[in-house]
Amino acid sequence: MTSKGNTVNINTPKGAYHHGDLRSALIETGLKRLEQGSAESLSLRDIAREIGVSATAIYRHFPDKDSLLAALAAEGLAKLAREQKAAGMAGGKQGFAEMGRAYVRFAMRHPALFRLIYSSLPPTTDPACQNPEESPGWLLRQTVSDLAGPTASDAQRRTGVLRAWALVHGLAMLMLSGQIAAKDADKLIDEVISVDSLKLG
Amino acid sequence: MTSKGNTVNINTPKGAYHHGDLRSALIETGLKRLEQGSAESLSLRDIAREIGVSATAIYRHFPDKDSLLAALAAEGLAKLAREQKAAGMAGGKQGFAEMGRAYVRFAMRHPALFRLIYSSLPPTTDPACQNPEESPGWLLRQTVSDLAGPTASDAQRRTGVLRAWALVHGLAMLMLSGQIAAKDADKLIDEVISVDSLKLG
DNA sequence: TGAATTATGTTTACAGCACTAACATGACTT
DNA sequence: AAGTCATGTTAGTGCTGTAAACATAATTCA
């Protein structure tokens, strides 16, 4: 809702310059466009048009299109992590299952964004390094570690995480590409993501 | 290697017209380009240039770019199915594991093609319908059914297939996007794709 | 065999794209 | 108030996918 007044916009916290907080507006509009179509069909000029700014203004905030896409992906990743975290709060087996459901549901609700997250050529964010708390991998690791219990070996935990992540990710991707009917998604998730299938203990 | 002579090219079986078998050349060159870069960076004009034909000649064989991409995806799918079939020939648990490895290895060897296969908006080929024998889903179903044995229920088989497919697909996708180190790919596959994890019987 | 038809290709043209260079202006610093 | 820097604009380049009109080789049929 970035105001277009000719004075500084007080509502936008980060930095508001002589035409509003363009950087945030770009991301906001970019995400909106991602909800409507694929990432490939997203056009810088179109985003600029929607905001009401010249096409080249974008380059004051992002060196090229890929950078904007990367920013959108980062935003999406954070959102996904937030939803996963909330879903897994219950903890234990139930929390774990809820986390899986949240992962797949996010993919179904934001297909283009989800695909974008996992297609930025430079690995979106190294799950181990940058912002650990905002990584699905990290969240999974925590939950799976909890489930495994203290007796589990490191290798067991590692395999458990990998298996769980691959399972939900594969399920999400296959549904997105229409290889698996997405109608009874929740039921499928429950069938497939049973804790026992992780062979933790 | 389609000859460019002004007489009919005898080597190309399907249909050879007054400038060679352009349709095959387009697919061949398209696949070659996919080995070198992503599907998004693939350009019709570039392909035409490489073949030595005008850019618009393509439209005599494909109504638009997406159609050519769909043809490339179909070609890739067939190739993947062929490799899976060969890998699974051993049968039993070992054949099943080999099939999984083949799936992931294919993805690693042909990242752009693999992604393309699972991103054509109209589901590449409905695994149940069109060319069943050329579908990874169908191949998996056979193998998993074998493993499950005669006592397994239909639901168990269905879940087993889903779980196996999601597992290898997710693993492949996560590796492609750099979320999982692809170095020790084969070891990871073996860790994750253990038959027991399918909970068949 | 020769004429008509169809399949395949070409040239030309257009609008949209990402991106660069040169310039303008508003905002912050001193 | 002057100068600098951050942020915008307009104009232009070369790429893209694709449509329209035209050309020619291959095939069909009288």
Side-chain angles (χ1 to χ4, degrees), chain B residues 43-96:
Chain B
S43 134
L44 292 185
R45 294 177 104 103
D46 177 57
I47 294 178
R49 223 174 287 130
E50 161 115 357
I51 299 181
V53 89
S54 82
T56 53
I58 296 177
Y59 292 88
R60 297 296 150 183
H61 300 275
F62 300 97
D64 54 18
K65 188 180 183 179
D66 281 347
S67 300
L68 174 53
L69 288 179
L72 295 178
E75 203 74 26
L77 190 66
K79 197 170 171 181
L80 168 57
R82 246 180 282 129
E83 294 191 12
Q84 265 186 283
K85 209 173 188 173
M89 266 188 8
K93 290 189 179 189
Q94 197 196 332
F96 171 76

Side-chain angles (χ1 to χ4, degrees), chain B residues 10 19 25 38 42 55 76 84 95 103 117 123 158 171-172 190 195:
Chain B
I10 327 174
H19 275 81
S38 72
L42 184 148
Q84 265 186 283
Y103 193 90
I117 291 174
R158 207 167 58 101
L171 206 55
D190 288 340
V195 179

